[in-house]
Amino acid sequence: MCHVLFNEQTPEFQQQIDQWFEENTYLYKQYAYNFFDEALATAIGNGWVHKNISGSLLTTDWYNNEYINEFAKELYLTNRL
């Protein structure tokens, strides 16, 4: 479901996301761009949804890839989805 929400953004907004990554000077921006969809879906599904259903965040890993796991947690905590 979370991937569908990401994919249903307007083409204009998807282009804006692409532009944010393209204009960024961060050395690892391509890795962040490649993981963005999965990390955002994980932040929503295992962060926001889980907290709203159970009342607390998961204390275990949210994803079985350390980079996506940490990226998702940072997206959630930084933005308070």
Side-chain angles (χ1 to χ4, degrees), residues 5 8 12 20-21 27 30-31 33 36 40 44 47 52 54 58 65-66 72 74:
L5 292 173
E8 290 301 314
E12 294 80 18
W20 292 336
F21 280 98
L27 180 62
Q30 191 59 47
Y31 294 108
Y33 180 75
F36 185 65
L40 187 59
I44 294 169
N52 280 280
S54 71
L58 287 169
N65 174 295
E66 68 178 296
E74 192 65 30

Side-chain angles (χ1 to χ4, degrees), residues 12-72:
E12 294 80 18
F13 186 67
Q14 289 183 11
Q15 289 172 351
Q16 186 177 11
I17 292 171
D18 289 344
Q19 186 176 359
W20 292 336
F21 280 98
E22 287 173 16
E23 293 175 353
N24 194 299
T25 59
Y26 181 59
L27 180 62
Y28 301 106
K29 71 178 181 181
Q30 191 59 47
Y31 294 108
Y33 180 75
N34 291 342
F35 291 150
F36 185 65
D37 178 25
E38 196 65 39
L40 187 59
T42 301
I44 294 169
N46 292 344
W48 186 83
V49 171
H50 187 274
K51 185 172 183 184
N52 280 280
I53 289 173
S54 71
S56 63
L57 289 175
L58 287 169
T59 57
T60 58
D61 286 344
W62 293 2
Y63 198 90
N64 193 24
N65 174 295
E66 68 178 296
Y67 302 108
I68 294 172
N69 181 58
E70 293 303 318
F71 193 4

